[in-house]
């Protein structure tokens, strides 16, 4: 039997860690990590989950849905109201690609300010 593993952290490459951390802090309500700086910023959730943002010189945003620069990973968030969540996230600086692979009533693909795709999915 293999040991249990608990996801502890997710780290995203980006050109501006503090700016991307601020976007996700507003979007998720996670608390800013006190040692965040211009090279590496982080957010903490009460249960210990950590999202990190690390500066990468010459960062190239994913070209989703194309593969010129692969997305490499994406985050999914459950929301109660897709339209409300989408409007709110777009107001925070998210983008919405033209290509949407899911029916709009079930899920939407957005991009964070650094270009990483993420999904919002209807939670009910």
């Amino acid at each position: 039997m293999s040991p249990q593993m608990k996801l502890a952290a997710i780290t995203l490459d980006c050109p501006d860690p503090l700016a991307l951390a601020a976007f996700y802090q507003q979007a998720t309500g996670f608390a800013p990590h006190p040692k965040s700086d211009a090279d590496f910023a982080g957010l903490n959730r009460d249960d210990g989950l950590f999202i990190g943002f690390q500066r990468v010189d010459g960062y190239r945003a994913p070209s989703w849905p194309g593969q010129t620069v692969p997305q490499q990973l994406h985050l999914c968030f459950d929301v109660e109201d897709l339209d409300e969540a989408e409007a709110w996230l777009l107001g925070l600086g998210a983008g919405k690609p033209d290509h949407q692979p899911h029916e709009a009533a079930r899920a939407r693909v957005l991009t964070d300010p650094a270009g990483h795709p993420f999904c919002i999915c209807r939670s009910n």
Side-chain angles (χ1 to χ4, degrees):
M1 184 160 111
S2 60
Q4 276 287 330
M5 292 179 28
K6 177 183 174 187
L7 180 63
I10 299 165
T11 300
L12 301 172
D13 291 348
C14 62
D16 185 342
L18 292 171
L20 196 56
F23 169 81
Y24 279 106
Q25 192 274 326
Q26 290 178 52
T28 65
F30 288 21
H33 190 278
K35 293 185 179 179
S36 294
D37 62 31
D39 289 321
F40 191 90
L43 301 173
N44 296 309
R45 190 168 71 182
D46 291 341
D47 68 358
L49 180 62
F50 177 84
I51 302 176
F53 309 93
Q54 64 186 4
R55 177 181 300 284
V56 171
D57 293 331
Y59 172 78
R60 292 176 41 206
S63 59
W64 188 89
Q67 295 297 308
T68 304
V69 180
Q71 67 176 325
Q72 299 169 12
L73 84 106
H74 72 269
L75 303 172
C76 293
F77 299 95
D78 286 341
V79 298
E80 289 185 23
D81 184 312
L82 282 169
D83 293 332
E84 179 181 44
E86 177 183 318
W88 180 65
L89 289 161
L90 292 173
L92 292 179
K96 183 177 180 184
D98 291 335
H99 177 71
Q100 294 292 314
H102 309 289
E103 63 179 78
R106 190 171 60 96
R108 317 260 169 88
V109 177
L110 302 177
T111 55
D112 69 23
H116 302 107
F118 66 94
C119 295
I120 53 173
C121 304
R122 191 180 63 210
S123 60
N124 51 10

